[in-house]
Amino acid sequence: MLRSTRHSTALARCGLRRNVYSGSVNTKGSTLRSKALVATSCVAVVVALGLSRDTIQNDAPAIKPKKSVPTPSGSSLVSGKDSLEAIVWGSNKNHVLSSSSDEAAPIKRPELSPIISNTALRDLAVTEEYGVCVDARGDIYQWGDGFSGPLSPSDRPPRPQKTLSGKDISSIALTPNKVVALSKKSGKIYILSSKQNQQDTGKPSGSWSLSKLWTSSNPQVDYIELETNVKLHRSEKFTSISAGKDHLVALTSSGRTFSLPLSLSGNSSGQLGLRKVSVRSDSSSPSLADIELTPKAARDPYATATPYIRASQTSQEETVPQPAVASSVEQSKLPKDDDIRFCTTLYEIPTLQGINVAQIVAGARTTYARTEMGGRVLAWGANEYGQLGLGPTVTLPHVSVPTEVVFSKTAPSGTASTCTNIAAGPGDIVYFLVQRKTLGTSNRTFDVLACGMGQWGAIGNGLFTNAQGTPSKVKLVSGVQEFHEQDQTLRPLEIYNISTSDTGHTLLTLDTAARTGPGANAGRDLVAWGLNQDYQLGNGKRSSLPTPIYLTNDEGNRVALQVKEAPVSDMSGKPWSRKAWVEQTAVAGPGCSIVYWKLRT
């Protein structure tokens, strides 16, 4: 039907041209030659249309790409040789992706970000209400309605605002109310508010001041510097931080782990690893009070039981539910949850003392620790969706004691399993990157195992599962091998980076750039799966996907994240380095996705 319509249209055009030709010649021979020439042209046009499915429009003007849409180079999202543009797509609620539009309509396909442009960053993170980044100089910038408040388009700042400077920040971790920052050089940890109207106080309000908790290098921004309950060793410093919804965990260069509650709900599921902490006894006083944060499972063991079981068990044991906060002061006088001085001391986790930890990661209400020796994983905290990965036999909703996650159950016999990385966003799902090695041989593969809440397909095993207690393999990216041309052998395809959001979608970067063959597009393949309600998977659709897919550009080619050397400037536009190695990094945020240029360390 479609092809015959095109043929008739082409013939009609040829007939029109025949009238023009025949009208311009009066002789009979010329007219016959003209008709023959026109007939030959019509046959050629019909044959060409039969071989091609594209509509030929000779008089159509060249389509100029819009400024807000990236111009792909091959299969990459690069608009120029030295260009360092960020790419965004998904939900634009609270103007986290774009501040120019008054309507927070979702971005269906990847396009250039007007907020982050022509710069490389040390780190970037977003929440549902605001975004934070660290530029090349280590200064913090913030934006979004959750930071500046809902403003009109004329009053809304077009660019992120600098908040904390001069601290050489290397990484950040976000909560709904606070921004946690780690200094690269000193290893100190700072906390500042996520709201601009709570940063402009300079010193804390009241008649007293905390000289240890703030300095005058940023008089316009109120922030604190965290302390530890034990003294660090000489040359020991903090190297990584991770924040859940209400708690913070940190790792030192010696492998010691620390935690801190960010609100009164900081240990609601036992994710803190301890109970007794010191907080301010009064919001207008610097004095401290010792409190005990009791997990839900300890203060009311039968909270989730049926009314019959709950009544019978409580009558037999004659137990009285414990309060959530045990303190000598009234709970109403304790500082509010959004107060950055709620708790200013990091506490070493008692159960992990003497264990050399290589990585510690915080989920929304969970904590995971990976040991240096053997790559074993310990998990504790909330377990309603099986996000601790303890298997189907552990049905407790909360586990307050670090418990080992066993990966050998999903591997064949004679295989050694070692965890090499953990990825857990501020949600109820976690990913383990596990290396499988056959004993007695050099054969090894890498599996991505997921567990937790997979209602929207975030588990990646092809199913929509509300709860997954046993770590399950993520399809398409687990056990993949590639042929190495130099050695003529098969090698495992490693995972370069995993980023997951609290709303249930994941972006995974394959390490395909190191061994790209000649003639291929150098870069790292990007795959996505999970929730897609706000177009956050970047395929222009809204159907959630329980299986990973390769992200493609407008031409249908796979997106390849690039690595290159380029001149780098800071967020203010001042040159920082004439040539530095940068790489495209994918970040999964609440309902949105961002690909930005990150400085390689």
Side-chain angles (χ1 to χ4, degrees), residues 39 47 119 161 163 231 247 254 300 302 424 475 512 527 544-545:
V47 172
T119 185
Q161 303 297 304
T163 54
K231 188 176 181 180
H247 76 294
S254 299
D300 192 359
Y302 305 103
K475 293 184 177 181
T512 54
V527 298
S544 300
L545 301 177

Side-chain angles (χ1 to χ4, degrees), residues 229 264 275-282 287-293 325-330 334-335 342-343 345 347:
N229 66 328
L264 292 177
R275 293 190 184 184
K276 295 182 179 180
V277 296
S278 296
V279 299
R280 287 167 50 192
S281 60
D282 196 336
S287 60
L288 300 177
D290 295 333
I291 64 173
E292 182 175 355
L293 300 176
V325 180
S327 173
S328 57
V329 299
E330 297 181 6
L334 294 176
F342 173 81
C343 183
T345 303
Y347 293 86

Side-chain angles (χ1 to χ4, degrees), residues 34-47:
S34 173
K35 291 182 178 181
L37 179 61
V38 171
T40 304
S41 302
C42 292
V43 172
V45 171
V46 171
V47 172

